[in-house]
Amino acid sequence: MNRMKVDEEEYWHSSKCKAFTFEDEDDELSQLKESKRAVNSLRDIVDDDDDLEKFSWSGEPVGSISWSIKETASANSTPEGSDLGPQKSSSSAASFPKQASSYSLSSFFKGRNKHGSFQSLSDALTDTGVKNYAPELRRPKAEYKDYNSVWSPKETVRRLQRGKVCPLERFHSLQEKLLLLDEAVAGHDGNVITAVLVFLKRTLKKEVLFRELEMRQVALRHFIHFLKETGDQKLLLDLLRFLDRMEEVALTQYRDHLTILDAEKRKEFLKGCIGLPFSSEDSALVQDHYTLLERQIIIEANDKHSEAAGQTEIFRKHPRKASILNMPLVTTLFYSCFYHYTEAEGTFSSPANLKKTFKIPDKQYVLTALAARAKLRAWHDVDALFTTKNWLGYTKKKAPIGFHRVVEILQRNNAPVQILQEYVHLVEDVETKLNLAMKYKCHDVVIDTYKDLKDRLQLMAYRCKVDRGSPAEVKIDSILSNPQIRWKN
């Protein structure tokens, strides 16, 4: 009995789980604190060094192929009898299958979320920071069929029309390439034709390509358009010269002036274009373009100096908003009518000089001058623009653009009613005259027109539309009470 008691005491004293005694309380507390400090120091080491290699509890590197296979097998397997077996007596301890954990020490301490709690097992397995190593599968052989099969030109064009991958480099001979081009043209698909032309441009000498395209007009038009869109100016000019299209060569070179920003350099370029083989009509236009730019450079320099000096009243009241350089002829004429209307014909900036030099038609000149002078509200110049004298010395107003257009331009520039009425009166068509007069409230014109038409009913109806006691109402009453007028109704 005593021996059993002694053995029992030795067992308790030799066990890892020592019994509680008041003597070793301080030792247990110190060991617990020391263990906690060791864990915290290990966490700091792992957090500071991201390059540490991760190992599972089995000693295998986390992310290796063997580790991935074992983890997948353990995740898919279900312990037998874990849920289906009958429960044992409550007195017996429940046993659970022990599975190998996939956590390493580094992933355990680094797997905290923003609230400080640890990640779940599913979150840890789906962590993007862990690399998964899996063997790469080869592509099926069917995908390499488009690259290895040999297609005829007709089949190649059909596949290109369907958007299939079909390399054209397998066509080596000139005969095969030309047959491919003919099939593309016969398919009436512009994208396929362009693709084949790009292939021929890359694989054929330009002399051979030009010679074959000359006999295929559809492909030639596609190729010329392609060169224009891509900006291959050198090859385009070589092709046009080969085809002996010298006018197109000249026009193509002339378009290059659009890329020159400096006015002086553009003027010199245009001067060189005058000698190119244009048609007679185009040659005159190029000459006018050069002359116009030359005039604009002179006008711009003089007006810029005058505006800076501040000695010209028109520039003080209406400062210039933009430069006149490279502007169209109509814009230049408007500018001249606005700032230089009273200058003599001998000056470059005179409107009359511009009209004479560039042969501007009367209608275009009158429209532009009317818009410019009406904008300045120079009504005396507007009146002088339409006043003419016959050989007997009588004055008469005449408008080559029609007085109805004159009225519209004056109204857009906020002309007074008196000015509008004067020109509405000059409109020849009666219906148009009445419509304009009613639209712009020219009462005197409406009243006089109805009086001339002897239309008493229309005059009485219009009396209801004017203000009571106004001069228009007084005039209508005076006409209606005149016994000498013989009304038609």
Side-chain angles (χ1 to χ4, degrees):
M1 186 70 180
N2 293 331
R3 182 175 178 80
M4 292 177 62
K5 190 173 183 179
V6 171
D7 294 338
E8 185 177 357
E9 290 178 359
E10 290 179 357
Y11 170 76
W12 285 108
H13 284 287
S14 63
S15 175
K16 293 181 180 180
C17 300
K18 296 181 180 181
F20 174 78
T21 57
F22 289 99
E23 289 78 11
D24 57 3
E25 180 180 0
D26 295 336
D27 296 335
E28 291 289 340
L29 182 60
S30 62
Q31 291 177 4
L32 180 61
K33 292 181 178 180
E34 184 178 358
S35 176
K36 186 174 181 181
R37 285 195 299 271
V39 170
N40 291 334
S41 63
L42 180 60
R43 181 188 306 169
D44 296 336
I45 293 174
V46 174
D47 287 340
D48 292 338
D49 191 0
D50 292 339
D51 297 332
L52 292 177
E53 188 175 9
K54 301 179 182 180
F55 290 85
S56 65
W57 291 112
S58 61
E60 297 174 349
V62 175
S64 63
I65 297 177
S66 59
W67 175 82
S68 301
I69 295 174
K70 288 184 179 182
E71 287 299 315
T72 305
S74 62
N76 294 333
S77 63
T78 304
E80 296 180 359
S82 60
D83 294 328
L84 302 176
Q87 295 182 356
K88 295 183 179 181
S89 173
S90 60
S91 61
S92 63
S95 63
F96 296 92
K98 185 176 182 181
Q99 299 181 357
S101 174
S102 62
Y103 281 113
S104 63
L105 288 176
S106 59
S107 63
F108 181 78
F109 288 110
K110 293 180 71 175
R112 295 176 179 268
N113 56 23
K114 62 182 181 180
H115 300 292
S117 60
F118 292 106
Q119 290 180 330
S120 63
L121 181 58
S122 60
D123 294 336
L125 291 176
T126 58
D127 186 8
T128 57
V130 179
K131 296 181 179 179
N132 294 325
Y133 295 90
E136 182 179 358
L137 298 178
R138 295 183 62 186
R139 294 183 178 179
K141 293 183 178 181
E143 294 189 10
Y144 295 93
K145 185 177 180 181
D146 292 339
Y147 299 93
N148 299 328
S149 301
V150 178
W151 307 98
S152 66
K154 189 172 184 178
E155 292 172 338
T156 301
V157 171
R158 289 180 179 177
R159 292 181 64 80
L160 289 175
Q161 288 176 339
R162 294 196 297 267
K164 298 288 186 179
V165 176
C166 193
L168 305 179
E169 285 73 11
R170 63 171 57 94
F171 298 100
H172 299 289
S173 66
L174 176 61
Q175 184 179 1
E176 290 179 337
K177 294 176 181 179
L178 296 179
L179 183 58
L180 178 64
L181 177 60
D182 293 336
E183 292 292 342
V185 173
H188 304 289
D189 191 325
N191 293 329
V192 177
I193 296 174
T194 303
V196 175
L197 287 172
V198 171
F199 168 66
L200 297 182
K201 173 178 174 286
R202 189 174 66 251
T203 57
L204 292 178
K205 292 183 178 180
K206 64 179 182 180
E207 293 80 6
V208 178
L209 178 61
F210 294 167
R211 184 183 68 246
E212 298 299 334
L213 289 179
E214 188 178 11
M215 297 181 291
R216 297 166 174 83
Q217 292 299 314
V218 175
L220 178 62
R221 288 194 296 270
H222 275 269
F223 192 62
I224 292 176
H225 181 73
F226 169 76
L227 294 179
K228 289 179 179 179
E229 291 294 323
T230 56
D232 196 341
Q233 192 81 347
K234 184 178 183 302
L235 187 59
L236 177 61
L237 291 175
D238 291 342
L239 175 58
L240 294 176
R241 290 191 184 99
F242 177 85
L243 299 173
D244 198 23
R245 298 183 182 181
M246 301 312 297
E247 291 185 13
E248 294 187 34
V249 172
L251 290 174
T252 303
Q253 289 182 284
Y254 170 72
R255 291 192 189 98
D256 288 342
H257 81 273
L258 297 174
T259 61
I260 304 175
L261 301 180
D262 184 73
E264 289 290 344
K265 293 181 179 179
R266 180 178 288 194
K267 185 187 76 170
E268 294 301 322
F269 180 84
L270 291 175
K271 185 178 181 180
C273 291
I274 295 176
L276 294 177
F278 292 101
S279 64
S280 58
E281 183 180 358
D282 292 339
S283 180
L285 292 176
V286 174
Q287 178 66 52
D288 287 343
H289 190 178
Y290 168 75
T291 305
L292 176 62
L293 183 57
E294 188 179 31
R295 294 281 186 92
Q296 289 174 345
I297 293 174
I298 297 173
I299 295 172
E300 175 68 19
N302 293 335
D303 289 357
K304 191 174 182 180
H305 176 73
S306 299
E307 186 178 18
Q311 298 177 356
T312 307
E313 182 180 1
I314 185 66
F315 289 116
R316 291 199 306 268
K317 291 183 177 180
H318 305 280
R320 299 188 313 153
K321 296 182 180 180
S323 172
I324 195 63
L325 296 177
N326 299 317
M327 291 297 173
L329 177 59
V330 175
T331 306
T332 307
L333 179 61
F334 181 90
Y335 178 92
S336 179
C337 292
F338 194 91
Y339 289 105
H340 306 281
Y341 189 72
T342 59
E343 290 185 5
E345 186 178 343
T347 60
F348 283 149
S349 55
S350 169
N353 189 296
L354 290 175
K355 179 186 177 184
K356 181 179 179 180
T357 302
F358 298 101
K359 299 178 175 59
I360 300 176
D362 290 339
K363 289 185 178 181
Q364 184 65 64
Y365 179 81
V366 169
L367 273 174
T368 308
L370 173 62
R373 303 317 293 173
K375 191 174 185 66
L376 288 172
R377 305 181 69 82
W379 309 123
H380 178 73
D381 293 337
V382 172
D383 185 73
L385 190 63
F386 301 106
T387 303
T388 59
K389 288 185 179 181
N390 58 14
W391 61 280
L392 294 176
Y394 295 102
T395 59
K396 181 182 178 182
K397 290 188 181 299
K398 183 180 179 181
I401 59 175
F403 284 105
H404 62 285
R405 298 190 64 183
V406 175
V407 173
E408 293 174 354
I409 295 174
L410 293 176
Q411 194 277 332
R412 284 200 299 267
N413 288 277
N414 302 317
V417 178
Q418 294 78 7
I419 301 294
L420 285 177
Q421 286 188 150
E422 180 182 354
Y423 290 96
V424 172
H425 260 301
L426 297 174
V427 177
E428 295 181 359
D429 185 71
V430 176
E431 186 177 356
T432 304
K433 181 192 298 186
L434 286 173
N435 291 334
L436 290 174
M438 292 180 183
K439 182 178 180 180
Y440 302 130
K441 300 185 183 307
C442 300
H443 300 305
D444 290 344
V445 178
V446 177
I447 295 171
D448 292 339
T449 303
Y450 283 142
K451 177 185 175 182
D452 295 337
L453 294 175
K454 296 180 173 54
D455 195 337
R456 183 171 178 271
L457 296 179
Q458 290 292 343
L459 189 59
M460 293 177 64
Y462 190 73
R463 182 181 183 275
C464 301
K465 297 179 182 179
V466 300
D467 297 334
R468 289 187 176 276
S470 61
E473 186 183 37
V474 175
K475 185 174 182 179
I476 293 174
D477 291 339
S478 175
I479 293 174
L480 290 175
S481 61
N482 188 352
Q484 297 180 356
I485 300 175
R486 302 183 62 178
W487 304 100
K488 68 179 183 179
N489 50 26

